[in-house]
Amino acid sequence: MMSFRAFQVEKTADRQFPRSIVERDTADLPDGELLIDVAYSSLNYKDALSATGNPGVTRNFPHTPGIDAAGTVEESRSDAFAVGDAVIVIGFDLGMNTAGGFGEKVRVPAAWAVPMPAGLDARTSMILGTAGFTAALCVHKLEAFGMTPDGGPVLVTGATGGVGSVAVKLLAKLGYEVHAVTGKPEQHSFLRGLGAEQLLSREDALQGAERPLGRPTWGGAVDTVGGQILVNAVKSLRYGASLAACGLVASPEIPASVLPFILRHVNLLGIDSVELPLAQKAEIWNKLAGAWHLDGLEELAAPLTLATLSSAIDRILAGKMVGRGLVDLKA
Ligand code: NDP
């Protein structure tokens, strides 16, 4: 038994969700083969949904959110991992109804853990976190469906956010012409620094909503926002191109017509980082550690501690985060 610090969300009788930092004991953690000493976690939009009681994410309180964790194996009942191994855990039930990475210790099944690939460490892997991983998964799937740099510019929506900012940086590194949609004109130079060549406002991205088809423009698209912006992007895909849909910050609805699909042969690709089988998770992490290694990740990091998490949760819910909230559990 060992005590550790954790960010905790409670649920009151009148459905309030107060947040605090508490001392917990490893004896209270759920069963699992691996006890992990967490060095870094990261803040994702879903953590903010968990922390505000969204029942689609978390039903059981008190709860420690944090869908991401990177650290060192402290106890192992698995042949696949030894004490001292560096690991990454993202997705599955971590931070949903299993105590997550906003605590100094997590206990998880070995089947959730990916060995830290050479080329990444706890800090860089968590600057990426689920959001950066998801950006890479989008690009991976778009390329599997034929996207290439000479197929036309690629649109990224919600570009200053976690998924969006990594998507811009990765696509630019791979030689794509990136056009970024943002609601933050004051962040244009940040996005240009990541490699965006053209910047669009959300209003630009909503133009022509009444038309059944747009001008064929995009060789691919990474959409983090959903709703009418997603639909407009689909309508402006070039013949045979694809859009990867991974988010819903604007809306979970898709008010679309079939016309782009049956006249332009376009594809709407679903992206899920949570239940993605472990072997495919490891493949994407290995790419991010190797051929897709991103230099200058520190520029994306918004450093956080357990003490500053609560205000950052409010910022991400308000769509005001820029880059990736990196949570240092040792700070
Ligand atoms: P962030 O909050 O970091 O980024 C979202 C960005 O979207 C904001 O920064 C903002 O960027 C833009 N935005 C916010 N509100 C609106 C709005 N009303 N209309 C249009 N744009 C808006 O979140 P993440 O990047 O962590 O996550 C993005 C989405 O992806 C979330 O819905 C999340 O749940 C989902 N997600 C899904 C995963 C999966 O496995 N499918 C995994 C990870 C995330 P700007 O100001 O630049 O426009």
Side-chain angles (χ1 to χ4, degrees):
M1 291 199 308
M2 234 179 306
S3 80
F4 66 93
R5 280 182 320 145
F7 180 88
Q8 183 165 281
V9 180
E10 276 163 72
K11 181 178 178 181
T12 64
D14 56 348
R15 289 194 53 80
Q16 300 295 303
F17 296 90
R19 310 162 192 166
S20 60
I21 298 167
V22 297
E23 283 288 324
R24 294 199 60 192
D25 197 292
T26 52
D28 302 330
L29 288 172
D31 196 20
E33 291 100 12
L34 303 180
L35 178 70
I36 298 168
D37 183 44
V38 183
Y40 290 97
S41 180
S42 83
L43 175 62
N44 291 277
Y45 190 76
K46 195 171 175 186
D47 300 317
L49 296 180
S50 169
T52 46
N54 184 308
V57 181
T58 301
R59 292 178 313 278
N60 306 324
F61 293 90
H63 173 64
T64 294
I67 62 171
D68 290 342
T72 312
V73 174
E74 203 161 274
E75 291 172 10
S76 174
R77 286 191 278 114
S78 157
D79 293 339
F81 294 96
V83 170
D85 283 357
V87 290
I88 305 173
V89 183
I90 66 163
F92 299 115
D93 195 50
L94 188 71
M96 294 182 68
N97 288 293
T98 299
F102 296 169
E104 292 174 302
K105 313 277 177 192
V106 295
R107 194 183 283 117
V108 296
W112 294 3
V114 171
M116 182 69 68
L120 288 176
D121 55 26
R123 186 175 172 95
T124 46
S125 68
M126 287 296 104
I127 296 175
L128 292 164
T130 285
F133 175 91
T134 301
L137 184 59
C138 289
V139 175
H140 178 81
K141 194 161 180 181
L142 286 165
E143 290 197 333
F145 276 77
M147 183 176 77
T148 58
D150 56 12
V154 176
L155 188 72
V156 177
T157 65
T160 67
V163 179
S165 57
V166 178
V168 170
K169 197 169 166 65
L170 176 59
L171 286 162
K173 174 194 167 78
L174 298 178
Y176 289 91
E177 178 182 328
V178 183
H179 294 211
V181 179
T182 182
K184 304 188 186 82
E186 72 283 4
Q187 296 296 337
H188 280 188
S189 62
F190 167 73
L191 288 169
R192 286 195 193 285
L194 296 180
E197 291 189 32
Q198 294 213 27
L199 297 157
L200 291 81
S201 67
R202 293 183 196 164
E203 294 69 33
D204 294 336
L206 286 167
Q207 293 252 317
E210 66 295 346
R211 289 201 293 273
L213 285 169
R215 193 163 57 81
T217 306
W218 314 119
V222 173
D223 179 66
T224 70
V225 306
Q228 189 63 50
I229 287 182
L230 179 155
V231 172
N232 264 22
V234 167
K235 289 191 306 193
S236 298
L237 287 171
R238 292 189 184 189
Y239 192 87
S242 306
L243 177 144
C246 71
L248 43 56
V249 288
S251 168
E253 305 298 330
I254 305 181
S257 110
V258 296
L259 288 178
F261 301 101
I262 63 176
L263 297 178
R264 299 236 176 106
H265 202 58
V266 302
N267 307 303
L268 180 56
L269 307 180
I271 298 294
D272 171 50
S273 64
V274 180
E275 296 296 334
L276 189 75
L278 195 71
Q280 290 177 53
K281 279 191 172 129
E283 183 188 352
I284 299 294
W285 280 118
N286 286 333
K287 268 186 137 163
L288 283 164
W292 287 8
H293 190 273
L294 296 172
D295 294 327
L297 276 177
E298 287 293 334
E299 291 158 30
L300 285 183
L304 299 172
T305 63
L306 290 185
T308 57
L309 250 178
S310 187
S311 58
I313 286 170
D314 295 331
R315 279 205 303 287
I316 202 167
L317 281 174
K320 293 200 169 123
M321 275 297 279
V322 174
R324 297 285 299 122
L326 173 71
V327 187
D328 183 348
L329 276 299
K330 307 292 178 200

